[in-house]
Amino acid sequence: MQGISPDTVLADRYSLTTRLAGRDDLEHWAARDRTLEREVAVTVFPSSGEHSAAALDGARRAAGIEDSRLVRILDVGEQAGVSYIVEESLRDATSLAELVRERALPTEEVRRIVGETASALEVARQRGLHHLRLTPHAVLVTKEGRIRVSGIAVAGALEGLDDVPSDEASRDDATALVGLIYAGLTGTWPLEPEVPGVPSAVRHAGGVAEPAEMALRQGSVPGDLNTLCRLTLGEDAGPLTPGDLAGQIAPWSPEPVHGTSQAVGWSGGVTGAAAGGAAAGAAAAGASRSGEAARGNRSDETQRIDTSRSAARRDDHGRDDADGDVDGDEGDFYGDGDDELESPVPLLPGTVAAEPSGDQAKIALALVAAFVVVAVLLAYCGVAGLGNNDNKAPAAGSTTSQTTSSQSPTPTDSGTQTETAKPTKKTPPAKTLKITSGSIMSGASSLKEPQDVSPAYDGNPDTSWMSHGWNQADFGGLKGGVGLVFDLGASKEVSEADLDLPLPEGLTVYVGDQPTTDGATRLGSSSGKDGTVKVKASGDSPPKGRYVIVYITKLVKDTAYHHGGLSEITVKGR
């Protein structure tokens, strides 16, 4: 770009040293901050550009977001017709594009990388900012395995996408996150436009091939990730926001996951596309090899995939199991038909019941006939006995007492008379109450937590809302808990809440007419239990209210961090 070269100094402070990537109107440089004596990264572009002002504005707004997963923007400015964005240097990081270039990543590492990326994008979304140009080049993994995301509010602005409606932008980012999952599992990119340096996904008449179809080892793609890719990329369904996506693939490991056969090395060279710039992906477009050239490295391997065995195992309803293996036959990936058949009746394993002989059949019939005769005799005797009892004369001296008791109430010791018992009014049975919506309770409890709680009441216990990972079971001492609020649409009597808990966390359930625990009535509590937990009202007067609040107060350490979660809630009452 004109006016930019090694030793150019911007703002009398940032000395450019090495051009990392770029094109005619956009360049990414390594630089030295003379004031603080540290390495930084600088993205430069002409101030006269049509979208330059929007990109600078996006960078200033993104600089105000405090999240360790976002590449930090240190400075923004203009000088002599050149606009610049200064960021922290991440030259020791490796982009997801580089990581998937040689082989697919371990599936749980894909879950971790994309989960952290989605969480970072959700933080930005809640501040009104989006990415809109999320590709494997924008996701960086440090030498320690930490995830950093570049380009928030800048990469899209440089492409003229700063005026996209918020709902549409959120959906675009969520779809791109699913694209990252696909890239991590298959090493190819499923969306348009093509991404330089990452081969395009294999396509057929129905769209892009499912990740399970591309796997060299069947069952190696988890069912939930495969289904997520199919719904989002092939059926225009799936998550609407990054937070939705994070909730659907949670939980994930906070530390790097190294596979035994697909180990990932975190060290290694870094290209301009992975240098951590605000527009690294866009700058790489003019410097990286084309998608078509990169695709050549995989063509032979792709042709060798046996697509006749490509579909993930499915259950009777066509759904994938969570691990991609429906019947648990983890050692039999190709279904060779030699499995031992299940016995049709409870006999010895693997044996088949033989037909009875003629003598055996006669004996069986005789036994049945004898049983019938005995049953008839017993029934007759019972009926006859009942009739005899009814016709017996009352014992001597009992006639007067019976007559008296039938004519007048029996006096008590105190001289009063007992009243005739009135029939008890039956209470109608509790029924399942419909939940119209769900949310996180506002206030301090919403700090850092995923906002989409729909997985907790979608009718599918395989999906879960999971909290942010915390270092301590008490939320690091920052708050007393986190509340999940479920709206019943109107005030109703709540007698029971059935909770499907993924972890043995501590929680209390409240019922009230406001979406807060203030003034709400406690329904019950649970601690140290997971699975299905029933929280029932005590006494004959269940609480009444429009909102049911599940307030999680104690987290459980399931990885290196503490989490709380809710897989499903069913509310019962009247």
Side-chain angles (χ1 to χ4, degrees):
M1 192 174 77
Q2 187 175 3
I4 297 297
S5 62
D7 297 329
T8 296
V9 179
L10 299 173
D12 294 327
R13 178 173 179 175
Y14 308 108
S15 178
L16 307 185
T17 57
T18 306
R19 184 178 182 272
L20 301 175
R23 63 190 189 198
D24 292 342
D25 57 348
L26 181 70
E27 292 183 358
H28 190 65
W29 288 75
R32 182 77 178 172
D33 181 346
R34 293 179 173 180
T35 301
L36 298 179
E37 292 298 322
R38 63 180 179 182
E39 295 294 323
V40 294
V42 181
T43 300
V44 295
F45 44 92
S47 300
S48 59
E50 180 181 359
H51 309 298
S52 297
L56 292 179
D57 178 65
R60 292 187 180 97
R61 295 171 64 194
I65 301 177
E66 295 184 4
D67 191 289
S68 61
R69 294 162 296 198
L70 299 178
V71 176
R72 285 190 301 144
I73 296 178
L74 307 173
D75 200 355
V76 177
E78 297 181 70
Q79 175 179 305
V82 174
S83 297
Y84 60 86
I85 300 172
V86 182
E87 298 170 293
E88 62 178 316
S89 176
L90 290 173
R91 295 188 65 181
D92 63 344
T94 307
S95 72
L96 180 60
E98 289 182 292
L99 292 177
V100 304
R101 184 168 297 165
E102 297 300 327
R103 65 182 68 189
L105 301 178
T107 56
E108 290 310 305
E109 179 64 1
V110 174
R111 193 186 299 272
R112 183 186 76 92
I113 292 175
V114 179
E116 293 291 336
T117 302
S119 299
L121 264 61
E122 178 63 18
V123 172
R125 186 188 73 85
Q126 294 179 15
R127 297 286 295 273
L129 302 181
H130 307 277
H131 198 291
L132 292 171
R133 273 296 176 261
L134 184 67
T135 73
H137 290 295
V139 179
L140 314 173
V141 184
T142 68
K143 291 175 65 176
E144 298 77 24
R146 304 306 173 201
I147 308 305
R148 310 300 291 274
V149 184
S150 68
I152 290 288
V154 176
L158 287 169
E159 299 293 328
L161 302 175
D162 56 298
D163 58 349
V164 174
S166 179
D167 289 348
E168 182 180 341
S170 297
R171 168 63 177 177
D172 288 347
D173 280 352
T175 301
L177 286 163
V178 177
L180 295 181
I181 292 176
Y182 192 100
L185 295 174
T186 69
T188 61
W189 182 246
L191 300 173
E192 297 291 345
E194 295 184 354
V195 173
V198 182
S200 295
V202 173
R203 294 179 178 271
H204 46 59
V208 296
E210 295 180 16
E213 296 180 42
M214 300 299 297
L216 296 178
R217 176 181 177 272
Q218 289 200 10
S220 62
V221 176
D224 64 328
L225 299 186
N226 189 70
T227 300
L228 183 60
C229 290
R230 182 180 72 248
L231 292 175
T232 306
L233 304 176
E235 302 179 18
D236 195 26
L240 299 179
T241 69
D244 291 346
L245 184 281
Q248 291 179 25
I249 68 174
W252 55 83
S253 170
E255 302 297 332
V257 179
H258 300 274
T260 55
S261 61
Q262 295 177 319
V264 178
W266 300 115
S267 60
V270 63
T271 65
S288 301
R289 55 180 176 168
S290 68
E292 188 66 33
R295 192 158 51 246
N297 291 340
R298 289 182 175 268
S299 59
D300 294 338
E301 179 182 50
T302 302
Q303 292 173 359
R304 289 197 298 268
I305 296 177
D306 183 0
T307 57
S308 66
R309 299 170 305 182
S310 59
R313 291 177 176 264
R314 301 174 185 274
D315 61 16
D316 292 339
H317 302 285
R319 299 172 300 198
D320 297 330
D321 271 5
D323 59 359
D325 183 70
V326 169
D327 296 320
D329 303 331
E330 296 180 352
D332 179 19
F333 300 113
Y334 306 117
D336 55 15
D338 293 333
D339 296 291
E340 186 179 80
L341 295 177
E342 181 182 354
S343 300
V345 292
L347 301 176
L348 295 177
T351 63
V352 180
E355 294 185 5
S357 64
D359 292 339
Q360 290 174 331
K362 292 178 181 178
I363 293 173
L365 290 174
L367 291 173
V368 171
F371 175 79
V372 171
V373 170
V374 172
V376 171
L377 289 173
L378 290 174
Y380 174 80
C381 293
V383 172
L386 289 174
N388 291 336
N389 288 336
D390 291 342
N391 295 327
K392 285 183 180 179
S398 64
T399 304
T400 304
S401 63
Q402 288 181 355
T403 304
T404 303
S405 64
S406 65
Q407 293 177 349
S408 62
T410 302
T412 63
D413 294 338
S414 61
T416 60
Q417 295 180 337
T418 59
E419 296 181 358
T420 303
K422 296 181 180 180
T424 303
K425 184 179 180 181
K426 292 184 178 180
T427 302
K431 62 180 181 180
T432 300
L433 304 179
K434 182 180 179 182
I435 297 175
T436 61
S437 64
S439 62
I440 295 292
M441 191 171 73
S442 61
S445 67
S446 65
L447 178 67
K448 292 188 176 181
E449 303 297 354
Q451 298 296 301
D452 179 25
V453 302
S454 61
Y457 65 100
D458 60 0
N460 182 7
D462 293 332
T463 61
S464 302
W465 176 90
M466 296 298 294
S467 74
H468 177 73
W470 294 85
N471 290 324
Q472 299 174 2
D474 62 350
F475 298 88
L478 297 178
K479 58 185 181 181
V482 57
L484 281 67
V485 181
F486 301 97
D487 188 352
L488 302 178
S491 185
K492 299 181 180 180
E493 187 178 274
V494 177
S495 59
E496 180 180 332
D498 296 346
L499 309 176
D500 192 348
L501 303 178
L503 297 168
E505 64 224 53
L507 58 85
T508 300
V509 180
Y510 296 89
V511 178
D513 284 320
Q514 300 297 327
T516 176
T517 56
D518 295 338
T521 302
R522 179 180 176 276
L523 181 69
S525 300
S526 175
S527 181
K529 296 181 181 179
D530 57 2
T532 301
V533 174
K534 296 181 181 294
V535 179
K536 297 182 178 181
S538 59
D540 298 329
S541 300
K544 189 175 182 181
R546 174 173 176 173
Y547 300 95
V548 176
I549 302 111
V550 178
Y551 195 68
I552 300 173
T553 55
K554 186 176 181 181
L555 305 176
V556 177
K557 187 173 184 179
D558 59 333
T559 57
Y561 291 89
H562 295 75
H563 291 87
L566 180 58
S567 298
E568 199 67 28
I569 178 173
T570 302
V571 180
K572 297 181 180 180
R574 289 171 285 275

